[in-house]
Amino acid sequence: MLLPSILRCCLDVMHTPLQSSVLHAYSLSSLSSLAFLATKINKSPSKSPKPKKTVNLSPTDQSGVYSVSGGPASATSDGTLFMSDPAWCLVSKFQLIPCLGRLLSKNSIVNSRSVLPICQLLNIVCESSAGASAAVAGFGNGAMLAKVVELALNSVETHFNNDAAQAALGLLARCASSSRNNCIECRVQKAAVSRYVPALLAGGEGSVSVNTVSVETKVKGLELWQVHLKYGASMDALSTYLPLSAKILSKPLEEADADEGNLAAKYLECYEMICRCAKALTKRSGLEPIVELEEGATDAILGAGLWLSQVVVEGLKKVVEGGGRGSMEMKIVAGNLLLGVAYSEAIAPTILQNNEVEIVGGSFTSSLPSGLLESAISTVLKTQFPTALEKVMSCPSPSQECCLLVVACCAGANSNENEKLAKRTISEFCSSLSPDINFSASPSLHHNRALYSVSLLAPSTFTSLNYLLLGRLKPGEECFVPHLLKPLPFHLSQNLSDELSGNGGERQLRHSAGIHGLSHISERGPFALLSLQASCPATSANATTAADGGLLPLGKEWLLHMISSACQGGAAGSTVSAVEVLGAEEESGGAFGRSMDVGSKIYYLLSVGRENGGKMLEEERVGEAVVRVLETVFRSGEFSERMVVRACERDKDNSEAAAAEAVVKIDEDEDDELGEIYDPERSQTSFSYSASSIRAWDGFVDELVSNFTSSMGGNLAMAKCVRYCLGVRLPPSVTVSAWGRLKGYWDNIDGGVGATKEEFVREVERGVKDNGTRTPSGILDSCARILGGSDLKLERNRNGNGGEWCYAVCLGLLGRDLVRARRAVGAGGRMAEAKLSGCENRVRGLGGGGVGKSLIRLVEKIWESGGEGERERGLAELVMVEMNEKSEV
């Protein structure tokens, strides 16, 4: 892979200014395209070994020359490294930052066509780490970044490049988000917010005409200002931006087109952030303010109450008057409501514990007409809220405007009437909560925020929602966890809290609360943050960050993992609590329970009998809970045993990935033609397991059976787990081995089957059900040995738990096999006749006449039985009759 290295070498080539500018423009564009492609393909950092030397990101490093010491082999190695981890290679091997600094310092060899790829490459670099962002922002004392911004935003050409402008604004926003210092102390950042962005919002300056600046570029400019506002910076720019927004915000809802709506919504978001900052100016006597501001910004914020009052009032009036219900109108309505709520909170005095209130520098003096906000909230709750809520609760990826509207209504439903109306509407959508609300893809922050708002307003209505949200949260959303843990039993809530706050997690929790403005957790609000990144920045090289010690995302099966970890730790109380939470979800049909793979639920419940030598199941309350929930899961719906085995394989970290490609078929000794004749009803798809999954399942069953035999077969809960592992659809080699190891314990496998007819029928039905697959010959041979031997005793009746289940299942499997063999003979074929002969030999080898007679009578009954489904139940009932007759002899 030489191309990336060749393109990088071209950036060091110097000819005439014209030739160099053309060559560099082509090289930068190609390198940017390759980096973008590699970044998309490699979502995770490269696992290739990195060089030991430290990468020099110092802004004083002016070398910027790419040297290939090892010739073509070294260049190829660098190219391969670039494709696996482009950001790291650009900074370390290719020395991109000093290289671009050198090129940009020479105006004659950089043209406008180079600006876009330069911004794109620097964006990739800045995205990789906060240190890289600081290097980009500070290189040459900010001269490199200033030159990029000047070329992109202050073009002297007749055609304004919106793509380059958006890339430059995005680069500034990314640099600012990574570090507070990058935002506040960087001159080019201040120049962009105070001069370039207002010029773009006004339509352009110089030779840039009004029509050439796209709405997307203007929105990017406002997003940059919004980043500054989140730090409490650039507040004094409000007086500049407010007149620019007057015309677009004054338009009626139904008259705003899509572009105007997007721009209006972004203005409203920025003004909402100013109100949040104004609210945070309240402080306790004798303590520092909970918001860090630039010098002179306090007066600008406190005067914003008067400046924004007209915007807030006019916006709420438009909401009350109503209008169209399209997506764009919904976004503007949500923005007006959120601004109204933030404004009302900013002008309301905050009463402290000592009943004293102190405002830094003055007061956010202004007011709203009485009842205006409540009226606006009430109007939306009756009209647009139900539609938006339904989308949020049922769609994997609802639109941003639906999410914002739900957040606004939940936050603004403060009056008694509005709160009752909101909760009543929410309760009507309990059944709409989808179990698969976007676990596969990365959940959006807007969607999580909307779901969290619903849970916050009506916590008792959506316990299942809290559990779903816990699994969806991403790094940076830790502040949602304390509320979401409330429905959990104390053991689990405390354990999860300890895990999330351990290893530096408490610092990350406060950082997350600052990002989202939850000052009751962060104590300082969002405006004193060092960074707006999801993970809090490390204060030293040895500091533990949330990325190193955090648990998020937990994933949708976090409860199952808690069952496993509680068992490993020997915590009976936590195990019972976790199992009971799962049971409650199963019984209620909650969305959280439905979101988890059924095979995973069965596997993790079975694994309680494996951990700690099965001692956890010896705890009576643990065993009863596991058996009860297992039965509930079995009855909850259809599932395949392959799902259980795959869950086992996923749980085995030492599974060999290379062996996963090798497939071992259950019927490897059978001919495909015979299979179709032998059982015409079976699925045409071959049922198979990978070699790695068989190894994982074999180890799991081996531990489970060992624990069962070690307890002398006296653990009823363990017996239920072992019975499941003898199913005919599981890997046959493992099942045959398990049957053999249980010799001498067949009488004990009945433990916990239950005395009622229905319970027994369910257990037998589960033991013989194969969903159309043929029973492997090894299992049939095991059944014949069991029935023909003397170890299986049937002196007691069914209520005595004396081997009846084992007798019934073995008899049923052999009987069904003989029926299918006879059907195959009816269809013709020598192979079918050979199969029938083998089946009859098994029957003749049973001995003891009574078993053989029962088997033949059973065969005749099954021959006359109904279709699939009825056949399994009829089989179970018939063997139960045979079993009782045998015990009465």
Side-chain angles (χ1 to χ4, degrees):
M1 178 60 69
L2 277 171
L3 182 57
S5 300
I6 293 173
L7 292 172
R8 174 58 187 88
C9 288
C10 291
L11 297 179
D12 294 332
V13 176
M14 294 295 175
H15 293 297
T16 64
L18 178 59
Q19 292 174 327
S20 296
S21 65
V22 173
L23 176 63
H24 294 161
Y26 172 80
S27 301
L28 287 167
S29 178
S30 301
L31 197 61
S32 172
S33 299
L34 279 177
F36 178 79
L37 178 63
T39 302
K40 286 294 183 183
I41 295 175
N42 305 289
K43 301 228 174 182
S44 59
S46 170
K47 295 182 181 178
S48 303
K50 305 291 193 303
K52 297 289 186 181
K53 71 172 187 177
T54 303
V55 179
N56 188 2
L57 293 175
S58 170
T60 60
D61 180 7
Q62 299 289 338
S63 61
V65 176
Y66 174 50
S67 60
V68 184
S69 57
S74 178
T76 301
S77 175
D78 290 349
T80 303
L81 179 62
F82 174 86
M83 295 306 295
S84 65
D85 195 343
W88 190 89
C89 186
L90 285 171
V91 173
S92 60
K93 286 288 185 180
F94 286 176
Q95 293 287 299
L96 179 72
I97 296 175
C99 171
L100 293 181
R102 186 187 69 245
L103 294 179
L104 288 165
S105 65
K106 301 177 181 180
N107 295 334
S108 59
I109 61 174
V110 175
N111 58 34
S112 59
R113 289 175 294 177
S114 302
V115 177
L116 177 58
I118 286 175
C119 291
Q120 291 171 337
L121 287 169
L122 290 178
N123 262 306
I124 292 174
V125 169
C126 290
E127 192 175 4
S128 63
S129 69
S133 295
V136 170
F139 189 85
N141 293 322
M144 180 183 72
L145 189 60
K147 186 63 178 179
V148 171
V149 171
E150 180 185 356
L151 290 172
L153 303 182
N154 192 28
S155 176
V156 296
E157 296 182 356
T158 57
H159 180 68
F160 181 73
N161 191 332
N162 278 288
D163 291 335
Q166 291 170 33
L169 291 168
L171 174 62
L172 288 172
R174 193 175 297 280
C175 286
S177 296
S178 66
S179 166
R180 184 183 184 87
N181 289 337
N182 289 349
C183 174
I184 295 178
E185 297 179 5
C186 183
R187 293 193 303 271
V188 68
Q189 291 277 357
K190 294 180 180 179
V193 171
S194 62
R195 182 163 68 93
Y196 290 121
V197 174
L200 295 176
L201 292 172
E205 63 178 9
S207 61
V208 181
S209 65
V210 174
N211 295 326
T212 58
V213 182
S214 68
V215 171
E216 290 79 8
T217 303
K218 295 180 179 181
V219 169
K220 281 287 185 181
L222 287 174
E223 287 175 352
L224 174 61
W225 186 38
Q226 191 175 20
V227 170
H228 284 235
L229 295 175
K230 289 179 179 179
Y231 286 121
S234 301
M235 297 286 178
D236 52 350
L238 175 62
S239 58
T240 302
Y241 285 80
L242 202 57
L244 297 173
S245 67
K247 180 180 179 181
I248 196 166
L249 291 179
S250 63
K251 277 196 171 185
L253 291 177
E254 61 274 10
E255 293 183 11
D257 58 26
D259 288 344
E260 292 171 333
N262 284 325
L263 197 56
K266 186 55 66 175
Y267 271 118
L268 294 172
E269 286 182 32
C270 293
Y271 297 158
E272 178 197 350
M273 185 56 61
I274 292 176
C275 293
R276 299 292 180 197
C277 188
K279 177 187 174 183
L281 285 177
T282 304
K283 71 166 189 177
R284 292 180 186 273
S285 299
L287 298 179
E288 294 182 357
I290 60 175
V291 55
E292 296 179 9
L293 296 174
E294 294 176 298
E295 183 178 355
T298 302
D299 293 337
I301 293 177
L302 296 176
L306 294 174
W307 297 338
L308 290 176
S309 60
Q310 184 178 356
V311 175
V312 176
V313 171
E314 292 301 322
L316 293 177
K317 285 182 177 179
K318 284 195 290 186
V319 173
V320 173
E321 294 169 359
R325 297 192 182 183
S327 60
M328 193 48 59
E329 292 92 333
M330 188 179 289
K331 181 181 280 190
I332 297 175
V333 166
N336 280 313
L337 289 182
L338 287 170
L339 174 58
V341 172
Y343 188 86
S344 65
E345 291 176 353
I347 61 178
T350 302
I351 307 300
L352 305 175
Q353 290 181 355
N354 56 3
N355 292 326
E356 294 181 2
V357 177
E358 183 175 352
I359 305 296
V360 179
S363 174
F364 192 64
T365 54
S366 191
S367 62
L368 290 175
S370 177
L372 179 59
L373 178 59
E374 290 76 10
S375 179
I377 294 290
S378 177
T379 300
V380 177
L381 284 173
K382 295 174 183 176
T383 55
Q384 295 170 298
F385 181 64
T387 302
L389 182 64
E390 182 180 15
K391 296 288 180 61
V392 166
M393 303 302 288
S394 61
C395 293
S397 301
S399 62
Q400 180 180 341
E401 51 268 17
C402 286
C403 296
L404 291 175
L405 192 74
V406 169
V407 171
C409 290
C410 292
N414 296 321
S415 67
N416 290 334
E417 289 302 319
N418 283 343
E419 185 176 355
K420 289 179 182 178
L421 178 57
K423 289 183 176 180
R424 186 166 62 249
T425 306
I426 288 172
S427 65
E428 294 173 358
F429 285 92
C430 286
S431 60
S432 299
L433 182 59
S434 172
D436 54 337
I437 42 177
N438 207 9
F439 274 107
S440 56
S442 179
S444 71
L445 173 60
H446 291 295
H447 196 187
N448 279 355
R449 185 183 173 193
L451 292 170
Y452 178 74
S453 299
V454 171
S455 174
L456 206 60
L457 184 64
S460 60
T461 305
F462 280 117
T463 300
S464 198
L465 173 59
N466 285 34
Y467 299 157
L468 275 173
L469 258 178
L470 277 172
R472 284 169 50 92
L473 296 181
K474 300 180 293 184
E477 298 174 355
E478 289 83 359
C479 57
F480 297 160
V481 172
H483 166 74
L484 298 177
L485 289 179
K486 290 179 181 178
L488 278 175
F490 175 75
H491 292 97
L492 300 185
S493 177
Q494 189 62 42
N495 290 347
L496 199 52
S497 296
D498 292 344
E499 290 285 345
L500 286 167
S501 60
N503 297 326
E506 183 66 26
R507 185 164 176 258
Q508 170 65 14
L509 176 63
R510 296 183 180 278
H511 177 76
S512 167
I515 293 174
H516 296 284
L518 300 182
S519 57
H520 62 284
I521 297 176
S522 68
E523 295 181 355
R524 292 182 61 81
F527 304 96
L529 289 168
L530 297 177
S531 141
L532 298 179
Q533 292 183 321
S535 297
C536 58
T539 54
S540 68
N542 297 323
T544 302
T545 65
D548 297 325
L551 292 182
L552 299 184
L554 296 177
K556 63 181 177 181
E557 295 182 351
W558 63 267
L559 181 62
L560 303 180
H561 299 155
M562 288 199 73
I563 293 175
S564 178
S565 62
C567 289
Q568 292 173 13
S574 296
T575 303
V576 172
S577 297
V579 172
E580 287 180 344
V581 168
L582 177 60
E585 280 292 303
E586 290 299 305
E587 291 174 1
S588 66
F592 175 60
R594 289 182 286 127
S595 72
M596 290 180 280
D597 181 79
V598 182
S600 294
K601 286 185 275 192
I602 293 173
Y603 166 72
Y604 280 101
L605 287 169
L606 294 176
S607 68
V608 177
R610 179 193 62 175
E611 304 293 351
N612 287 328
K615 293 180 180 179
M616 292 301 297
L617 281 183
E618 294 177 3
E619 293 271 351
E620 183 177 356
R621 53 184 181 151
V622 176
E624 290 178 352
V626 169
V627 169
R628 184 173 62 254
V629 178
L630 256 180
E631 190 58 40
T632 304
V633 174
F634 284 145
R635 291 197 302 256
S636 63
E638 291 295 325
F639 63 92
S640 72
E641 276 66 19
R642 183 154 37 179
M643 297 164 63
V644 183
V645 177
R646 282 178 177 172
C648 175
E649 183 183 12
R650 288 196 301 268
D651 191 46
K652 288 286 186 182
D653 295 333
N654 59 351
S655 295
E656 299 178 18
E661 300 300 324
V663 174
V664 180
K665 295 185 178 180
I666 286 181
D667 304 314
E668 57 185 356
D669 60 334
E670 302 284 356
D671 185 88
D672 288 339
E673 179 184 358
L674 171 62
E676 295 179 4
I677 299 174
Y678 180 57
D679 186 4
E681 298 179 6
R682 76 181 179 93
S683 171
Q684 296 299 315
T685 302
S686 178
F687 191 77
S688 58
Y689 291 98
S690 68
S692 60
S693 66
I694 292 177
R695 281 196 297 273
W697 183 248
D698 186 37
F700 174 77
V701 174
D702 180 67
E703 291 185 57
L704 197 61
V705 171
S706 295
N707 293 340
F708 177 68
T709 56
S710 298
S711 66
M712 302 305 292
N715 191 321
L716 302 185
M718 186 82 74
K720 187 176 184 71
C721 296
V722 170
R723 280 199 303 275
Y724 176 81
C725 295
L726 300 177
V728 296
R729 283 177 59 92
L730 291 163
S733 58
V734 180
T735 306
V736 171
S737 175
W739 277 107
R741 293 192 58 195
L742 287 167
K743 180 177 174 61
Y745 292 90
W746 294 321
D747 291 351
N748 305 93
I749 298 177
D750 286 7
V753 166
T756 69
K757 172 183 175 181
E758 287 300 318
E759 289 176 349
F760 182 77
V761 167
R762 277 200 305 270
E763 287 287 345
V764 173
E765 187 178 10
R766 192 174 299 132
V768 300
K769 188 172 185 180
D770 64 356
N771 291 345
T773 59
R774 295 189 302 277
T775 305
S777 57
I779 294 178
L780 293 173
D781 291 339
S782 298
C783 292
R785 283 194 296 269
I786 292 171
L787 291 179
S790 59
D791 293 322
L792 189 61
K793 304 177 182 61
L794 296 170
E795 293 92 356
R796 293 164 288 177
N797 60 23
R798 180 165 50 86
N799 295 332
N801 294 328
E804 295 84 354
W805 178 88
C806 187
Y807 170 78
V809 170
C810 290
L811 199 58
L813 291 177
L814 287 173
R816 181 174 56 199
D817 195 58
L818 184 55
V819 169
R820 288 178 171 172
R822 286 185 175 174
R823 287 179 177 175
V825 169
R830 291 183 179 180
M831 298 180 69
E833 291 178 359
K835 181 67 181 178
L836 175 60
S837 177
C839 293
E840 290 175 340
N841 286 337
R842 284 196 188 96
V843 173
R844 283 194 292 269
L846 294 179
V851 174
K853 181 180 178 182
S854 298
L855 183 57
I856 291 176
R857 183 163 58 229
L858 175 64
V859 168
E860 293 172 347
K861 295 290 185 182
I862 294 176
W863 188 272
E864 299 169 358
S865 65
E868 191 169 351
E870 297 176 357
R871 181 173 57 188
E872 278 80 8
R873 181 172 180 83
L875 175 65
E877 292 176 342
L878 285 168
V879 271
M880 185 175 63
V881 172
E882 295 300 321
M883 176 199 64
N884 284 333
E885 290 180 357
K886 177 68 179 176
S887 64
E888 293 170 1
V889 174

